[in-house]
């Protein structure tokens, strides 16, 4: 949660007025306790953003000089920045209720207390919507040939060859965050605790190939935390309900913990995450595909050139255990990407992903297990609009090419998809 400009103004007012009325610590205090020196050190810590350490130093001053309201107000400010809102309010109210506090200072304190109330536990709702048009040259994600080998004989299956089509895409949802007023400590870090939830609906509606229409309804919820230095993490429980061709296809239930460490003045971030997912397939033709999936991954992101450029990369290991061994697999995925911003209105990006999978059981009719790798190239852009009724909307576009090579030719295929869309976050 960002501190509003008014809050900064009020804090500066308090600071300037405090000095103007002579709330500076007297030099005579150095005889038994050098409060002035400690105060200056605490002020340096606060200016550097080390508010937890600044609060500790202000507490030490007040332990020796309990009537020193100048230090008490600075302690209240430190607590506010740490999201310790209850403590910030208590310290500010002590100064407000002191008969010796000048009336002009009380006015600023009342404004400060109003900002504390406004920064209390909050519900933040973020709706979003997208509508687009897509061309897909391999809707059925089939092999590149309608013929395949079974028991030494060439068999032909009508309709197995790639089918191209156009589609309308739609995506809508809402994210919700509830920020708790009380902070917690993780090691030496003071973190803000958040409960986050989401609900979304995704639809791909093909013009002719209705059997491949896709509907995905997603719900998620779980705790998260953020620290001032960028250290953060989350634990998200997510459920996906998937329909294919207007029939129930699958239900995925997953638990996704992750944690991110910032480095190099927040220009570099390292993320580690896990995914535990139960996959339940509903169609009779998919018997044996029910599985448990586990993935573990690490990724890095680096920003440079005045935040105009960023590069990303990551590695994930995965293991899927299915009821039927022919669907069980393990493997790895690696990716690299780059992003370029232009004047805060436009953005272009590119990403390459390589996925390698080895299946356990033999495929019926082929008498051997699958071994395949997939290369995916994605390039795209987004541009923020500022014209008439399209103000605050953005136009996005992307091109994706997928190429899968398998030791069983029947499972090899390539696919191209092009999409353009309008989207907005409210």
């Amino acid at each position: 949660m960002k501190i509003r400009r008014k809050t900064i103004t009020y804090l500066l007012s308090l600071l300037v007025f405090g000095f103007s009325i002579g709330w500076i610590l007297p030099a005579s205090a150095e005889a038994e306790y050098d409060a002035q020196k400690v105060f200056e050190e605490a002020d340096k810590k606060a200016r550097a953003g080390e508010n937890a350490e600044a609060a500790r130093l202000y507490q030490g001053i007040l332990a020796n000089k309990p009537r020193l309201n100048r230090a008490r107000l600075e302690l209240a400010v430190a607590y506010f920045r740490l999201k310790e809102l209850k403590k910030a309010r208590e310290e500010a109210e002590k100064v407000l209720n002191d008969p010796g506090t000048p009336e002009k200072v009380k006015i600023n304190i009342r404004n400060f207390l109003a900002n504390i109330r406004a920064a209390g536990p909050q519900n933040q709702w973020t709706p979003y919507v997208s509508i687009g048009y897509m061309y897909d040259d391999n809707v059925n994600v089939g092999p590149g040939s309608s013929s395949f080998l079974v028991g030494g004989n060439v068999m032909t299956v009508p309709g197995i060859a790639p089918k191209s089509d156009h589609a309308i895409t739609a995506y809508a949802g809402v994210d919700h965050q509830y920020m708790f007023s009380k902070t917690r400590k993780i090691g030496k870090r003071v973190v803000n605790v958040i409960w986050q939830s989401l609900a979304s609906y995704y639809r791909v509606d093909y013009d002719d190939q209705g059997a491949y229409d896709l509907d995905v309804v997603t719900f998620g919820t779980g705790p998260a935390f953020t620290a001032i230095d960028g250290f953060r993490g989350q634990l998200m429980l997510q459920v996906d309900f998937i329909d294919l061709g207007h029939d129930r296809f699958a239900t995925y239930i997953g638990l996704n913990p992750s944690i991110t460490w910032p480095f190099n003045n927040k220009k570099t971030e390292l993320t580690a995450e896990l995914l535990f997912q139960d996959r339940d397939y509903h169609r009779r033709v998919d018997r044996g595909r029910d599985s448990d999936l586990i993935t573990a991954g690490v990724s890095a992101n680096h920003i440079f050139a005045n935040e105009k450029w960023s590069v990303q990369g990551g590695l994930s290991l995965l293991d899927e255990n299915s009821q039927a061994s022919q669907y069980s697999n393990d493997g790895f995925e690696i990716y690299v990407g780059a992003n370029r911003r232009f004047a805060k209105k436009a953005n272009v990006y590119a990403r390459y992903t390589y996925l390698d999978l080895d299946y356990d059981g033999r495929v019926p009719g082929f008498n051997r297990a699958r071994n395949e790798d997939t290369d995916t190239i994605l390039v795209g852009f987004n541009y923020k609009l500022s014209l008439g009724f399209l103000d605050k909307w953005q136009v996005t576009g992307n091109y994706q090419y997928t190429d899968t090579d398998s030791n069983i030719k029947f499972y090899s295929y390539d696919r191209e998809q092009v999409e353009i869309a309008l989207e907005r976050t409210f």
Side-chain angles (χ1 to χ4, degrees), residues 96-369:
L96 181 66
N97 296 327
D98 187 335
T101 301
E103 187 59 34
K104 290 185 178 180
V105 175
K106 287 185 178 182
I107 293 174
N108 285 328
I109 294 175
R110 293 188 186 99
N111 290 330
F112 178 61
L113 289 170
N115 279 273
I116 293 177
R117 288 191 295 271
Q122 285 192 357
N123 291 293
Q124 180 177 342
W125 299 88
T126 307
Y128 49 88
V129 64
S130 172
I131 184 72
Y133 190 73
M134 179 176 69
Y135 170 74
D136 188 337
D137 80 337
N138 196 345
V139 174
N140 52 325
V141 196
S145 171
S146 60
S147 300
F148 62 98
L149 188 67
V150 177
N153 298 313
V154 177
M155 307 293 292
T156 301
V157 178
I160 203 71
K163 298 178 180 179
S164 63
D165 202 357
H166 299 265
I168 298 294
T169 64
Y171 185 49
V174 60
D175 292 339
H176 174 256
Q177 287 189 345
Y178 177 84
M179 181 173 285
F180 295 88
S181 59
K182 187 174 181 59
T183 58
R184 296 289 187 274
K185 279 192 174 182
I186 297 180
K188 295 182 179 181
R189 290 183 174 88
V190 177
V191 301
N192 302 311
V193 182
I194 303 167
W195 193 273
Q196 55 187 10
S197 300
L198 62 89
S200 67
Y201 172 68
Y202 176 65
R203 167 77 173 171
V204 179
D205 190 345
Y206 288 102
D207 291 343
D208 300 318
Q209 305 298 326
Y212 298 97
D213 288 349
L214 179 67
D215 296 275
V216 182
V217 177
T218 299
F219 298 100
T221 190
F225 64 85
T226 62
I228 293 175
D229 66 356
F231 178 66
R232 62 189 184 275
Q234 68 170 16
L235 179 63
M236 176 68 75
L237 175 66
Q238 183 168 310
V239 181
D240 300 294
F241 300 97
I242 306 169
D243 287 355
L244 183 63
H246 311 289
D247 293 326
R248 292 183 65 197
F249 175 67
T251 301
Y252 294 172
I253 302 176
L255 189 65
N256 181 204
S258 68
I259 189 168
T260 298
W261 296 270
F263 300 96
N264 191 25
N265 294 323
K266 301 182 183 181
K267 293 181 179 179
T268 305
E269 291 186 339
L270 179 65
T271 298
E273 64 178 323
L274 296 169
L275 173 64
F276 307 94
Q277 191 175 70
D278 175 78
R279 296 183 168 186
D280 184 18
Y281 294 88
H282 305 301
R283 302 186 307 177
R284 182 172 298 179
V285 69
D286 293 315
R287 281 182 177 176
R289 288 190 65 181
D290 292 355
S291 65
D292 295 315
L293 173 70
I294 300 176
T295 70
V298 292
S299 60
N301 181 71
H302 179 68
I303 301 172
F304 59 98
N306 294 323
E307 299 186 357
K308 293 180 180 179
W309 280 94
S310 66
V311 291
Q312 309 85 32
L315 166 67
S316 296
L317 304 177
L318 60 93
D319 183 79
E320 183 175 13
N321 292 308
S322 302
Q323 290 180 352
S325 62
Q326 73 178 76
Y327 297 115
S328 295
N329 63 86
D330 60 76
F332 67 92
E333 181 182 70
I334 58 174
Y335 78 89
V336 292
N339 188 86
R340 174 67 162 93
R341 287 188 177 184
F342 297 91
K344 296 183 179 181
K345 293 190 66 175
N347 186 63
V348 296
Y349 58 89
R351 177 169 170 153
Y352 167 74
T353 304
Y354 174 79
L355 173 65
D356 185 281
L357 294 177
D358 293 325
Y359 289 81
D360 296 344
R362 297 181 177 183
V363 179
F366 295 96
N367 200 31
R368 53 178 165 166

Side-chain angles (χ1 to χ4, degrees), residues 11 24 29 39 48 85 121 179 210 238 377:
L11 301 183
I24 301 301
F39 188 93
L85 303 183
M179 181 173 285
Q238 183 168 310
I377 297 174

